[in-house]
Amino acid sequence: DEEDEEQQQHFLYNPPPAKHDNNEWSTNKEDNGGAEQIPAALSAFGACCCCITAAFVLAGGILVAYGSYQNNRQEKEDGDRNQLIGSILLVVSASTCLLGWCSCCFSCVSTAVVDVAAGAPLPSSGDQKRIKLKFRRLNDEFQGAQDALNHVHFDVAGDMKEIQTAKKKEHKNKEQEEKQQKKLLEQHIQTDLRRGTLSVSDIRRKYRPIAFYIKFDGDLLVSTLDLLTKQVSTIVNVGKANIDQVIVVLSSPGGSVSSYGLASSQLVRIRKAGIKLVICVDTVAASGGYMMASVGDVVCAAPFAMIGSIGVVTQIPNFHRFLDKNSIDAFLFTAGKYKRTVD
């Protein structure tokens, strides 16, 4: 039983590469019945009305001016006709202008209504804009690169009979290996189901764990802290303890102590959730960046990456001799003995 359990833990199913039509999923994807298309349609209709208005105004103005010119040349019949057509075009242009203006107004109102219905905060509410996360399958990108390379690669031996035979043999062997892998996977899953110690979602994730990839570029005030918090909260809720892992590619020169302390505490949440945390330093992890990197279970650094230390530096001018020279006394009133610990 112990040997079977060990084999269960080390077995990972490696499925054949598959192409996905949509390899992107958003955390804020909602089904509102196509309501988001209404503002776009109104905006497009308003733009068309504006274009028609401009065309009718130009054509009507030209016809009215040309009719006046014909009347001056004693061509009264043609001049009156052109002036009439031009006047009609100007009246129609006024109508299309009114329609376009109303469409733009309704588009703005419908956009606000759709946002409120979807749960987005109003612009006047003072709340921050919702952060939208997207999941992408990075495996598909590499598979696409391999397919593109095979497409453009000049195969000088592809027409040889021996190559075709060997290729068919490799394809057949590969299919057999995939069948064996799938059969072995079914055996492991049946064993887990008989034991009843894992849920269906845990079994699905056990043999195909997920590595969450986060790119963190820090600045002095950690302007991407809200995004990091949303990413960590999502991973903590959807990740599986002792199965999945998180890879954070970190690059930061450090900055605000409180901001980087909060950013480090966000990474601590991943470890407390039982998810393995791997920190990769590409270029620099100094001060607060190094504090974030030290949280990881595994820390990897590029050969020429700059790794700094955790510390605080401050500069305080000393006015003691200046005050004594000018007979100035300073009085300090505190509410407790620990309010003033530095002389």
Side-chain angles (χ1 to χ4, degrees):
D1 294 339
E2 294 181 356
E3 292 180 358
D4 293 340
E5 185 176 357
E6 186 177 356
Q7 291 178 358
Q8 292 279 108
Q9 294 176 353
H10 291 287
F11 176 78
L12 292 178
Y13 177 60
N14 187 17
K19 295 182 180 179
H20 303 276
D21 295 333
N22 183 18
N23 65 339
E24 192 172 277
W25 181 85
S26 171
T27 57
N28 293 341
K29 187 177 290 185
E30 292 127 351
D31 185 12
N32 51 13
E36 71 279 356
Q37 298 178 0
I38 297 177
L42 290 174
S43 299
F45 181 73
C48 292
C49 289
C50 292
C51 295
I52 294 173
T53 300
F56 280 6
V57 168
L58 182 61
I62 292 175
L63 288 175
V64 170
Y66 186 63
S68 300
Y69 173 73
Q70 287 179 325
N71 289 334
N72 293 332
R73 295 187 60 184
Q74 304 301 323
E75 298 177 0
K76 189 171 181 59
E77 182 177 355
D78 294 337
D80 291 342
R81 185 177 67 252
N82 289 332
Q83 284 186 334
L84 177 61
I85 297 174
S87 300
I88 294 174
L89 290 178
L90 290 176
V91 172
V92 174
S93 66
S95 302
T96 55
C97 180
L98 181 61
L99 285 175
W101 181 80
C102 292
S103 298
C104 293
C105 292
F106 284 127
S107 174
C108 296
V109 173
S110 60
T111 300
V113 171
V114 170
D115 290 341
V116 172
L122 292 173
S124 59
S125 63
D127 297 332
Q128 295 181 348
K129 186 178 179 181
R130 289 194 308 171
I131 299 175
K132 186 175 181 180
L133 298 183
K134 291 184 178 181
F135 291 90
R136 292 185 300 133
R137 299 185 184 92
L138 299 180
N139 304 51
D140 294 348
E141 296 182 4
F142 295 109
Q143 181 62 34
Q146 181 64 41
D147 295 339
L149 179 61
N150 294 335
H151 180 72
V152 301
H153 178 251
F154 183 65
D155 191 0
V156 295
D159 297 333
M160 294 179 61
K161 184 177 179 180
E162 293 81 359
I163 295 296
Q164 294 291 339
T165 303
K167 188 176 180 181
K168 292 180 180 179
K169 186 177 180 180
E170 288 181 358
H171 182 69
K172 186 176 180 180
N173 293 335
K174 188 175 181 180
E175 288 182 346
Q176 292 178 354
E177 291 178 1
E178 290 176 359
K179 290 181 180 178
Q180 293 176 358
Q181 283 279 325
K182 192 171 183 180
K183 186 177 180 180
L184 188 59
L185 174 65
E186 293 175 353
Q187 294 176 357
H188 283 79
I189 292 177
Q190 290 174 1
T191 303
D192 288 332
L193 291 175
R194 285 195 302 268
R195 291 176 178 173
T197 57
L198 296 176
S199 63
V200 176
S201 60
D202 290 338
I203 293 175
R204 293 179 59 186
R205 191 72 65 84
K206 176 181 178 181
Y207 300 106
R208 192 62 177 173
I210 295 177
F212 296 96
Y213 174 84
I214 296 177
K215 179 73 174 178
F216 180 82
D217 292 323
D219 51 16
L220 294 178
L221 298 178
V222 197
S223 58
T224 58
L225 181 58
D226 292 337
L227 175 60
L228 178 64
T229 303
K230 182 67 176 291
Q231 290 172 332
V232 172
S233 298
T234 303
I235 292 173
V236 168
N237 282 277
V238 303
K240 298 295 183 181
N242 303 319
I243 296 177
D244 297 332
Q245 62 178 333
V246 179
I247 301 173
V248 179
V249 178
L250 175 67
S251 178
S252 173
S256 173
V257 177
S258 58
S259 298
Y260 273 95
L262 181 57
S264 301
S265 66
Q266 296 300 325
L267 298 183
V268 172
R269 293 173 57 199
I270 298 176
R271 293 191 59 179
K272 286 185 176 181
I275 302 174
K276 184 178 180 181
L277 178 61
V278 180
I279 305 293
C280 300
V281 181
D282 283 345
T283 55
V284 58
S287 190
Y290 182 76
M291 179 169 59
M292 292 180 64
S294 62
V295 176
D297 296 294
V298 178
V299 180
C300 305
F304 293 96
M306 293 185 292
I307 310 297
S309 61
I310 302 173
V312 178
V313 179
T314 184
Q315 184 177 8
I316 302 176
N318 189 350
F319 296 99
H320 180 70
R321 288 191 295 270
F322 175 80
L323 297 176
D324 287 343
K325 181 179 179 181
N326 294 275
S327 301
I328 299 175
D329 296 328
F331 297 95
L332 180 65
F333 300 91
T334 63
K337 62 180 180 179
Y338 296 111
K339 291 288 186 178
R340 181 172 180 256
T341 59
V342 179
D343 293 328

